[in-house]
Amino acid sequence: MDNVTEPGDFPEGVSGYRLYHGYVSVIVCSTGIVLNVINAVIWSSKNMRSSTNLILTTLAITDIVSLSMYLVYAVYFFLATGPSQQLNHSQEWMYVVVIAFHEFIGFHTTSNWLTISLAIFRFIKVCHPDLAKTWCNKERAKLTILIVFVVTILATFPFYPYYEVYSSSEDHPSLTGYWIRKTKFTRNHVLYQTVLLWLYGVVFKVCPCIGMVVLSTLMIRKLRHAQKRQRTFITGPDSQVNNHRGYSHTTVMLIIIGLIYVLMELPIGISAFTSGLQGGESHYFYFMLYSEVGDILDLLTLLNATVNFGVYYALSNQFRTVCRKIFLREKVLDVHCVSDTLEMSEPVTSSVIFTISLKWKSFKQKVHLDN
């Protein structure tokens, strides 16, 4: 199936959710771009620079690019024209559609592996704090980001020869526009199609999801164990409990981001994986590009790139404070002492925590008396 229908028949009309997918995806993409710009500004601000936040900044940037690529595809294919061969698309715009969709997949794959990298960094910090000083610094974060980009470029390169733009008149003499079909190389090499399906479904989707679930489970167990020990042994000042809560909130935030990733990406991975099991010529990527179910799966991907702002704002005290300071111009305290909950990257002794707690409480009392 290189085209929408068999030669001699016109393609079926657009119906169902496809009638609304353009409007929905444009709203989601536009919202996601704005929110990720905010994410990037906040995580890269002066007082927020750390190895974890460097990866979060890069994640926001890659999400901006992937959403922008899909926005181009959605605006042209669903609003300006329509996903139908009968509309006589120009050759230039069909190349734009193919390139935009490829880049959308590429940058979203980069975002996925950056999310996995975040989970690995946090896992080391939570479960192996002694190794964190060596393995979770800014230099390692930069190296990780570089590796993710290089590996993603190499892994997605085989997808580019999959489709080509051709004249619709080859199948329908009455049509004068252009459409998309598998290249001659793709049609002649069924194994190539199967390998790409397994690469996309297993390596890009299923394996990262399994890894994320395993890492999240281990971190949750570690946090629960730490909370039990804290309730049993801690008899010091309340600020030590609050400090642990702040550290736990950041870990929980990253776990939630990871689980959202699993929920959004696993259906796509399973569908590609099962399609690869069937063997023979594959129509999966065409199905993803030109079907109602493919549009719904695309929407899950767009939502995955959009919802992070809500998680950050809900669970990160520092993120909320900097957000209000930068965008709402609120007069707030410096991000490092915004509340009793302080997230420390290095181990903090009880005496230091107690001193910070006393100073902070004294400052609050002074402000209250002055008012």
Side-chain angles (χ1 to χ4, degrees), residues 72-246:
V72 172
Y73 160 76
V75 168
Y76 174 76
F77 225 43
F78 289 94
L79 300 185
T81 58
S84 172
Q85 190 178 11
Q86 297 184 46
L87 296 177
N88 296 329
H89 301 278
S90 69
Q91 186 178 25
E92 295 77 12
W93 271 108
M94 292 313 296
Y95 275 115
V96 169
V97 167
V98 172
I99 293 172
F101 204 80
H102 274 303
E103 294 306 311
F104 162 67
I105 293 175
F107 278 96
H108 182 67
T109 301
T110 305
S111 297
N112 290 346
W113 282 105
L114 287 173
T115 304
I116 297 295
S117 301
L118 276 171
I120 294 173
F121 267 61
R122 202 62 187 181
F123 169 76
I124 295 174
K125 288 185 177 182
V126 172
C127 300
H128 303 282
D130 294 336
L131 297 176
K133 296 179 182 179
T134 304
W135 291 95
C136 299
N137 52 43
K138 291 181 182 179
E139 288 70 26
R140 295 282 183 177
K142 292 177 182 178
L143 179 61
T144 299
I145 292 169
L146 177 61
I147 292 173
V148 167
F149 271 94
V150 171
V151 171
T152 302
I153 291 172
L154 295 176
T156 56
F157 183 78
F159 288 85
Y160 285 91
Y162 199 89
Y163 282 121
E164 66 180 357
V165 176
Y166 80 109
S167 174
S168 298
S169 60
E170 294 183 21
D171 296 325
H172 305 285
S174 61
L175 298 179
T176 58
Y178 291 83
W179 198 237
I180 299 170
R181 69 181 176 189
K182 294 176 183 176
T183 62
K184 183 178 180 180
F185 175 82
T186 304
R187 295 194 299 270
N188 293 338
H189 296 82
V190 176
L191 180 61
Y192 164 68
Q193 302 178 40
T194 304
V195 169
L196 284 193
L197 272 178
W198 280 71
L199 178 65
Y200 182 76
V202 178
V203 179
F204 287 6
K205 303 293 182 180
V206 175
C207 286
C209 286
I210 293 174
M212 184 65 72
V213 170
V214 171
L215 290 172
S216 298
T217 302
L218 292 174
M219 285 190 286
I220 290 171
R221 289 181 60 186
K222 185 70 175 182
L223 287 177
R224 292 183 63 183
H225 180 66
Q227 288 171 352
K228 290 180 180 178
R229 289 181 58 191
Q230 187 183 65
R231 286 193 296 265
T232 304
F233 296 108
I234 288 181
T235 57
D238 291 341
S239 60
Q240 188 169 358
V241 178
N242 289 330
N243 180 69
H244 176 78
R245 287 175 181 171

